[in-house]
Amino acid sequence: DFNKFNINRKLKNWKHSDITMVAPCNWMVDCLKGSIVFHKSKIFKIPHPVNQTIFKPLNKNNLRKKYKLPKNKILILFNCHRGINDERKGWKYFEEANKLTSSKYEIVVIGQKKIEDYDDSKRKIHWFGKIEGERKVSEIMNCVDLVTIPSQIDNLPQVGLEAQSCGKPVVSFNTNGLCDLVEHKSDGYLAKTKNIHDLARGIDWIIKNNRKRKISIKCLKKAKKLYGSNTISKQYLSLYNKILEKK
């Protein structure tokens, strides 16, 4: 089949090549190490960068007024470019978890236009559709109190890095690259994979424990240390120099 043909072609043509691979998370590093094509390559982990001149804490009250969002409600963001029907991003798990939580909140969705008479979540939903431009995404992200990423499979999702750069805790499943994104019960919550009850517990836990913004402060410190564009560019520059020194 084509996959076998493609792999054999790579093995033949890259047999004597000195290839260096970069992956953004430990899960992808492990995938490369287990790859028949790349297992002998030099493999490094460098996260994706975030433009922290855009994704940073902004005035929540002013932005909620701008986007006509309720001033005194807890808001949770679900952000998926392909909308709620992208099964990989796990909207169905979030939808079911919403029926199990004890906290009061409303939902903000980026990436999905309004669905008339949608009542499956039993929560009020503010639909924003697809958004072009990082500044608007950052502004809407700064309107919410936490971000949920219930993906079934993901690398190191940019929305999570951007959320932490804005000081927003993330609730996700303990799987793939999400394990690198969230430190459980420190700067967010890692629920058991595909477990809607634990996802609900995670939402309630963040809401209860972030009232004084202690979790948000941890998110900001982590994001500034690990994901800023200058930090990531220095890591790539260092790697390039090491490679060139050996040429």
Side-chain angles (χ1 to χ4, degrees):
D1 58 26
F2 179 75
N3 284 337
K4 185 176 181 181
F5 165 78
N6 204 24
I7 289 172
N8 286 333
R9 186 176 62 172
K10 289 176 181 178
L11 288 171
K12 178 181 178 180
N13 289 294
W14 295 348
K15 184 176 181 180
H16 301 294
S17 299
D18 183 11
I19 297 176
T20 298
M21 303 295 296
V22 176
C25 63
N26 286 316
W27 171 64
M28 292 190 73
V29 167
D30 290 339
C31 288
L32 287 169
K33 288 180 178 179
S35 164
I36 190 172
V37 177
F38 297 114
H39 70 281
K40 292 183 179 180
S41 301
K42 301 178 186 68
I43 303 168
F44 297 86
K45 185 182 83 167
I46 301 178
H48 301 307
V50 177
N51 185 345
Q52 293 178 342
T53 64
I54 294 176
F55 289 95
K56 60 184 179 181
L58 301 171
N59 188 293
K60 181 194 290 186
N61 290 334
N62 290 345
L63 290 170
R64 286 194 178 191
K65 183 177 180 180
K66 176 178 178 178
Y67 290 103
K68 297 180 173 59
L69 291 168
K71 182 178 179 180
N72 298 314
K73 298 282 188 180
I74 292 171
L75 299 177
I76 300 179
L77 175 66
F78 177 88
N79 183 352
C80 178
H81 183 72
R82 294 175 62 188
I84 65 174
N85 293 319
D86 185 346
E87 289 191 14
R88 183 173 64 87
K89 292 296 185 177
W91 168 263
K92 66 178 181 180
Y93 298 106
F94 180 43
E95 182 180 67
E96 292 302 313
N98 287 324
K99 301 172 185 177
L100 303 172
T101 52
S102 59
S103 304
K104 294 181 179 180
Y105 56 86
E106 296 180 3
I107 299 166
V108 174
V109 176
I110 293 177
Q112 176 69 56
K113 65 181 180 180
K114 184 176 181 179
I115 301 175
E116 298 296 337
D117 301 321
Y118 186 90
D119 61 358
D120 288 356
S121 72
K122 302 194 181 299
R123 306 274 178 175
K124 181 174 177 57
I125 301 177
H126 305 271
W127 307 94
F128 278 88
K130 287 183 168 57
I131 294 176
E132 300 298 332
E134 290 185 327
R135 293 190 184 279
K136 188 172 181 180
V137 174
S138 174
E139 287 182 350
I140 294 173
M141 191 170 283
N142 270 282
C143 290
V144 308
D145 298 281
L146 63 140
V147 176
T148 181
I149 308 178
S151 302
Q152 298 179 62
I153 185 170
D154 224 322
N155 50 38
L156 188 67
Q158 196 72 12
V159 64
L161 306 182
E162 292 165 354
Q164 290 180 340
S165 296
C166 292
K168 307 301 176 181
V170 173
V171 179
S172 67
F173 287 131
N174 186 14
T175 186
N176 310 131
L178 295 166
C179 303
D180 283 21
L181 176 66
V182 176
E183 186 175 347
H184 185 53
K185 287 190 173 182
S186 175
D187 54 37
Y189 192 99
L190 286 173
K192 297 173 184 175
T193 304
K194 298 184 181 181
N195 187 319
I196 59 172
H197 296 274
D198 202 22
L199 187 64
R201 279 192 290 271
I203 292 169
D204 284 332
W205 185 87
I206 293 291
I207 291 171
K208 177 182 177 181
N209 289 280
N210 198 37
R211 287 171 182 159
K212 295 183 179 180
R213 298 194 72 253
K214 290 183 179 179
I215 302 174
S216 290
I217 291 169
K218 289 181 180 179
C219 289
L220 283 171
K221 287 182 178 178
K222 177 180 182 177
K224 288 179 179 178
K225 179 180 179 182
L226 298 179
Y227 307 132
S229 299
N230 288 337
T231 299
I232 301 304
S233 62
K234 288 177 182 177
Q235 292 181 51
Y236 271 105
L237 183 60
S238 175
L239 177 57
Y240 292 155
N241 287 332
K242 286 180 182 177
I243 294 171
L244 292 173
E245 286 173 1
K246 296 178 180 180
K247 297 297 183 181

